[in-house]
Amino acid sequence: MEGCLIKVAVGRPVSGPFTYRLPPQMGGSIEPGRRLIVPFGRSRAVGFALGPDDGLPPKGLRDIAALLDDGPLFDAPLLKLLDWAARYYRHPLGEVLRAALPPALSGLDTPSTSPASRALAEWVALTESGMSASASPRGTRMKALLDYLRAAPEAGVPLEELFAALPSSSSRESLRRLIDQGLCRTWLADRQAAPINQHIAGQSSPVHPTSEQSSALDAIHEALDAGRFAPFLLHGVTGSGKTEVYLRAIERALSLDLGALVLVPEIALTPQLVGRFRARFGEKVALLHSGLRDTERLAEWRRLREGRAPLAVGVRSAIFAPVQRLGMVIVDEEHDGSFKQDDGFRYSARDLAVVRAQHQACPVILGSATPSLETLHNAQTGRYALLRLDHRVDDRPMPAVKLIDLRASHGHIAAAFPQLAGRIRMRAEEERVKQVAEPAVDYGSSVPRATQPVSACARAEDLPRAQAPLFSPELEAAIEATLDRGRQTILFLNRRGTSTYHLCLSCGQSLTCPNCAVSLTHHQLRDELLCHYCGERCPLPERCPTCGGRIERLGMGTEQVESELSRLFPSARVERLDRDTAARPDELTARLSAFARGDRDILIGTQMVAKGHDFPGVLLVGVLLADLALNLPDFRASERTFQLLTQVAGRAGRGQEPGEVLVQTFLPESPAVARVVGHDFEGFAARELAIRKAFHYPPFCRLMTCRLDGRDPRATAEAAHQLRRAAEEAIRRSTDALRLLGPAPAPISKLKGRVRWQMLFKGPTARSLVPVASAIEQETARLKGDVRVSIDVDSLSML
């Protein structure tokens, strides 16, 4: 038979590889990593060549339809990493390879990857009128463009970068209006010669390193110069200068003609960090994130692949960036959960960063003020080298943290909390039982579900009707004092909306989403109930849908806090930062820029305010309710609470004046809250690690979660037990000490109309769990109905 046989990974959710024939007219061989078009079923699909197939031709052998590009899109080290990731995370290799490419290259009708000329670019900058503080155009979009350009150098920014940061169909029209008003101008210039946008206020030129920074850099430079794999945990308190260590390590790598890769949790929320990279390295930086249009992401990917940009800065998916001669990998805020993909290809970018550095024989830096306990344990056991930055730059003091015990000031409400919490837990358990025993009920799209009362005891009328004040007297006084000094305040509450729980005071029923097993949140601006999981919207009924009783609004969110702040401090300039007010990049940029310039006095927000912002004017940070996430059914709840509180506390006192942090809590004795007072990460970690070891949880074991979801509650439950039997058989055959928890309904037992079950597996190593995963996959092929099954290796979410 003419033509050689080629193993191909098809970019579809199917196992493989598949064998195809390379027609003689396409040549005698094909390089691994080459993108192809192949016939698949009754259609065609994108595929990737893996190498020759020396076996016998299969029946129904088909020809490769076309070769794309001038050569392979993945070099050997990157192809090795992707193959490793597909096997480790148990995902089809073809889909993994597609996920590693820009979206513009993932379809059948894709552009060429050959180099394109980009000698000239259109630039934009403010005029003198635009720089004036009095210039204030109408419209959110125009203000966002103006704010972005005011944060840039006077020489301007590339037009494509401006539109990438503020993607919208109306951005071009808004820019035209700014030009017509004489607030900015555009021109053509040499792209390489022109300066780049810094996008921040901050230090762009190198500063003299502290002694701690110098010691850390000495260790990093030694490994870099030697060209060896060396994982480092850079554990530095907030404000200790971790970013400067990153910058100098990258400078060293670039001086050796090596490339570097920097992963950040979310570029839109960390513009200051990204801006410092752009300010220091200019055109050498390629940005990779979802805010770019497909053509712009492709252009940045090309710059990396062709070696014109040696430094990639991006979010989770940038771990697959085609950086040439990779010599340094950095993961900032390595503890952040956004580095783990929670659907589809469920990979951890942080863990793959370590694997990629190992494959490329180069150093990898994992930086955090609150490292994950898995990373800390690796440093304690010698797998990673520990580099410490224990002091803030210029010996600025850490902010003083004080706990405010809400039980003392709101004892009557606190006394009812256990009663209310017990009712909620009983109701959740009742719902899980009902989902197994009863068919799903369609409650309609416009009527909130009212859950049935559990019992006649602990009736809703007995609960206090008074809502706890949002601000304790101490916090209210501190806000007023900060305003009097002309300084800024950040208030943190990790919950959106106005009220988050709605209870009938007559029959004890609560309003929940008809599609999900969660409460509906009231949003005052639209005056409607909203499910934050599926997006279901409906009016808030004046009376209970079942008995006509009065509905009490409980809980609080950022929208309610904003309203209360306006009442208490009518002259204060308040900004709210959450997914409701900053859903688009331009909105986020406008709000952050206004606060950074000092145009706002108080910033209230969710965890978006806890990211790596550096606002020197912030002297006060207030945490309105520290214990929101402590009672979640997740063994990492305490760790995540401590991390979040520490990160948000670190926003205070980053200028010349010392800061203060006030933490309101009903659980001041909880270690996750109490240890924040002394910035005592070591004490918290030691206690938490002891608990994890006693109960056999990571980092003292490896986790794997099997999740199922389906529309039929009974069929989904039966499928879960069918997979359990297959898993138990694999466990019996194993020589390793494996443990199985479940199956059981997931804590969030229904999402988007589908009931959810899960099983949790523990093993001494990741390899020990492979036979169990294989057994589940084999049994999944025998399942009937619409039940979907997924396997999550090194799972983070327990909900």
Side-chain angles (χ1 to χ4, degrees):
M1 176 180 294
E2 293 185 358
C4 63
L5 303 182
I6 303 295
K7 288 189 290 187
V8 176
V10 178
R12 296 283 181 85
V14 292
S15 58
F18 298 88
T19 300
Y20 288 86
R21 188 178 74 102
L22 180 67
Q25 63 269 24
M26 293 185 184
S29 63
I30 186 171
E31 310 97 318
R34 184 81 177 266
R35 199 166 50 121
L36 321 164
I37 294 179
V38 296
F40 194 77
R42 297 182 178 181
S43 61
R44 301 198 303 173
V46 173
F48 301 88
L50 301 179
D53 189 339
D54 298 327
L56 295 175
K59 292 182 179 180
L61 181 67
R62 305 171 78 177
D63 286 352
I64 293 172
L67 301 180
L68 301 176
D69 316 309
D70 298 328
L73 299 188
F74 308 103
D75 58 21
L78 187 52
L79 194 59
K80 179 182 178 182
L81 174 73
L82 293 167
D83 179 65
W84 186 94
R87 288 183 286 107
Y88 185 82
Y89 292 107
R90 310 193 71 82
H91 200 74
L93 177 57
E95 285 216 317
V96 171
L97 294 169
R98 282 186 64 191
L101 292 175
L105 296 179
S106 62
L108 293 173
D109 184 17
T110 56
S112 170
T113 57
S114 57
S117 172
R118 302 175 70 200
L120 292 179
E122 191 171 7
W123 287 73
V124 58
L126 293 175
T127 62
E128 289 187 9
S129 298
M131 294 177 188
S132 172
S134 62
S136 181
R138 295 181 179 179
T140 302
R141 190 82 51 187
M142 295 173 67
K143 290 179 180 178
L145 291 170
L146 206 63
D147 286 338
Y148 189 97
L149 292 172
R150 282 171 173 166
E154 292 184 11
V157 300
L159 201 60
E160 68 177 57
E161 181 179 323
L162 177 66
F163 292 148
L166 306 174
S168 171
S169 58
S170 62
S171 288
R172 293 184 182 274
E173 176 62 22
S174 298
L175 179 63
R176 185 191 64 78
R177 292 180 181 178
L178 290 175
I179 295 173
D180 291 345
Q181 295 176 22
L183 300 179
C184 61
R185 61 189 179 90
T186 59
W187 73 97
L188 285 176
D190 186 334
R191 181 179 181 86
Q192 299 296 331
I196 199 70
N197 175 25
Q198 297 178 32
H199 193 193
I200 58 159
Q203 182 68 44
S204 60
S205 58
V207 297
H208 186 71
T210 66
S211 58
E212 290 179 333
Q213 289 173 328
S214 295
S215 297
L217 286 165
D218 287 344
I220 296 168
H221 289 170
E222 187 277 326
L224 187 59
D225 294 344
R228 62 180 177 85
F229 169 62
F232 296 99
L233 166 57
L234 182 62
H235 183 194
V237 299
T238 55
S240 60
K242 293 185 290 294
T243 303
E244 185 62 30
V245 174
Y246 302 155
L247 293 168
R248 287 178 174 268
I250 293 169
E251 284 177 339
R252 184 63 158 255
L254 297 183
S255 71
L256 297 173
D257 196 27
L258 298 173
L261 170 61
V262 181
L263 298 181
V264 297
E266 191 171 349
I267 280 185
L269 296 181
T270 54
Q272 294 173 319
L273 175 65
V274 175
R276 291 189 64 181
F277 285 107
R278 301 302 299 266
R280 187 74 65 90
F281 302 112
E283 273 297 317
K284 294 179 180 179
V285 179
L287 286 179
L288 297 172
H289 60 94
S290 59
L292 300 176
R293 291 178 295 187
D294 288 353
T295 54
E296 292 161 341
R297 290 180 70 177
L298 177 59
E300 294 292 83
W301 181 87
R302 281 172 171 163
R303 293 177 62 224
L304 290 166
R305 182 170 176 261
E306 295 161 11
R308 292 185 286 121
L311 171 58
V313 179
V315 293
R316 178 177 59 225
S317 60
I319 184 59
F320 306 120
V323 179
Q324 303 301 297
R325 290 176 49 80
L326 183 63
M328 171 66 65
V329 181
I330 296 170
V331 183
D332 186 46
E333 306 294 358
E334 66 84 28
H335 68 276
D336 198 287
S338 65
F339 286 123
K340 182 71 160 70
Q341 175 79 18
D342 57 7
D343 58 7
F345 175 28
R346 295 171 173 81
Y347 67 93
S348 166
R350 179 200 64 192
D351 295 347
L352 284 182
V354 177
V355 176
R356 186 170 186 183
Q358 188 174 29
H359 288 177
Q360 305 255 190
C362 72
V364 55
I365 304 172
L366 308 178
S368 177
T370 55
S372 67
L373 296 186
E374 290 86 349
T375 299
L376 178 67
H377 183 68
N378 281 333
Q380 292 176 340
T381 55
R383 296 187 64 188
Y384 297 171
L386 177 61
L387 308 176
R388 299 186 63 94
L389 303 178
D390 293 327
H391 302 88
R392 283 186 161 183
V393 174
D394 296 332
D395 287 325
R396 296 170 188 161
M398 295 294 292
V401 181
K402 178 184 177 182
L403 300 184
I404 299 175
D405 188 350
L406 294 179
R407 297 172 303 183
S409 54
H410 312 307
H412 66 293
I413 295 175
F417 266 46
Q419 188 176 11
L420 181 59
R423 288 174 56 82
I424 295 172
R425 283 195 296 270
M426 292 172 68
R427 208 179 308 284
E429 178 60 29
E430 179 191 59
E431 288 301 306
R432 284 195 287 268
V433 173
K434 286 171 63 179
Q435 286 165 9
V436 179
E438 301 176 3
V441 178
D442 183 6
Y443 291 91
S445 59
S446 61
V447 180
R449 179 180 180 180
T451 59
Q452 296 297 320
V454 177
S455 68
C457 64
R459 292 195 50 85
E461 291 93 333
D462 300 328
L463 298 176
R465 299 191 179 189
Q467 177 79 19
L470 301 179
F471 307 108
S472 61
E474 297 97 320
L475 180 55
E476 185 176 337
I479 295 173
E480 186 171 10
T482 305
L483 289 171
D484 292 342
R485 294 175 63 183
R487 297 296 186 264
Q488 293 175 299
T489 297
I490 290 179
L491 298 177
F492 170 68
L493 176 63
N494 203 23
R495 184 176 282 173
R496 293 187 286 148
T498 303
S499 52
T500 57
Y501 189 69
H502 305 87
L503 195 68
C504 175
L505 295 180
S506 297
C507 66
Q509 296 176 353
S510 61
L511 302 183
T512 60
C513 176
N515 308 312
C516 310
V518 296
S519 306
L520 292 168
T521 298
H522 182 246
H523 289 256
Q524 185 63 49
L525 184 62
R526 296 185 294 265
D527 193 21
E528 64 182 5
L529 295 173
L530 173 67
C531 175
H532 289 168
Y533 286 87
C534 73
E536 177 77 17
R537 300 173 185 269
C538 62
L540 174 63
E542 295 182 1
R543 292 286 176 176
C544 175
T546 300
C547 74
R550 183 169 71 89
I551 293 178
E552 181 78 0
R553 303 182 187 186
L554 303 173
M556 58 181 177
T558 51
E559 197 173 351
Q560 182 182 354
V561 174
E562 181 184 32
S563 177
E564 183 69 2
L565 282 171
S566 299
R567 186 186 69 82
L568 292 174
F569 309 104
S571 62
R573 299 166 298 174
V574 179
E575 191 74 77
R576 176 160 59 95
L577 190 66
D578 55 30
R579 294 297 180 189
D580 296 323
T581 63
R584 300 195 309 265
D586 59 333
E587 295 172 328
L588 177 64
T589 300
R591 293 174 188 277
L592 287 177
S593 298
F595 193 72
R597 290 195 309 269
D599 294 344
R600 300 291 185 271
D601 302 311
I602 302 174
L603 180 65
I604 165 68
T606 57
Q607 61 182 349
M608 297 172 77
V609 303
K611 301 293 182 178
H613 307 302
D614 192 349
F615 301 125
V618 173
L619 295 191
L620 175 65
V621 167
V623 178
L624 299 187
L625 193 54
D627 6 275
L628 271 179
L630 271 178
N631 290 320
L632 290 176
D634 189 328
F635 71 92
R636 291 189 176 94
S638 183
E639 177 186 7
R640 287 172 179 151
T641 296
F642 180 86
Q643 289 169 338
L644 196 53
L645 293 179
T646 299
Q647 292 290 336
V648 72
R651 301 313 106 201
R654 297 175 76 96
Q656 297 301 318
E657 300 176 76
E660 180 184 19
V661 181
L662 299 181
V663 180
Q664 297 185 161
T665 176
F666 283 102
L667 300 171
E669 298 90 358
S670 168
V673 178
R675 297 282 185 176
V676 175
V677 174
H679 307 281
D680 186 11
F681 174 81
E682 284 73 19
F684 169 79
R687 183 182 185 277
E688 191 70 13
L689 283 171
I691 295 174
R692 299 274 185 93
K693 186 174 184 179
F695 290 94
H696 199 62
Y697 277 97
F700 302 100
C701 75
R702 302 302 286 267
L703 285 186
M704 182 180 74
T705 304
C706 174
R707 298 189 179 92
L708 303 89
D709 65 81
R711 295 200 175 276
D712 185 333
R714 186 179 300 277
T716 307
E718 290 175 351
H721 288 283
Q722 182 178 338
L723 295 185
R724 171 188 58 82
R725 289 189 290 271
E728 286 177 336
E729 180 60 32
I731 291 173
R732 281 193 292 269
R733 292 196 301 265
S734 175
T735 58
D736 294 301
L738 305 182
R739 302 185 186 185
L740 164 61
L741 301 179
I748 300 179
S749 56
K750 183 181 179 183
L751 277 181
K752 300 180 181 179
R754 301 179 70 89
V755 296
R756 306 169 71 240
W757 283 67
Q758 64 186 30
M759 290 181 283
L760 186 65
F761 299 91
K762 301 179 183 180
T765 64
R767 185 183 298 274
S768 67
L769 295 172
V770 170
V772 178
S774 299
I776 291 174
E777 289 169 344
Q778 293 172 10
E779 192 64 28
T780 297
R782 303 185 182 96
L783 295 179
K784 299 178 181 180
D786 76 334
V787 177
R788 300 183 303 204
V789 179
S790 64
I791 292 177
D792 189 358
V793 178
D794 296 335
S795 45
L796 281 185
S797 174
M798 298 292 106
L799 302 182

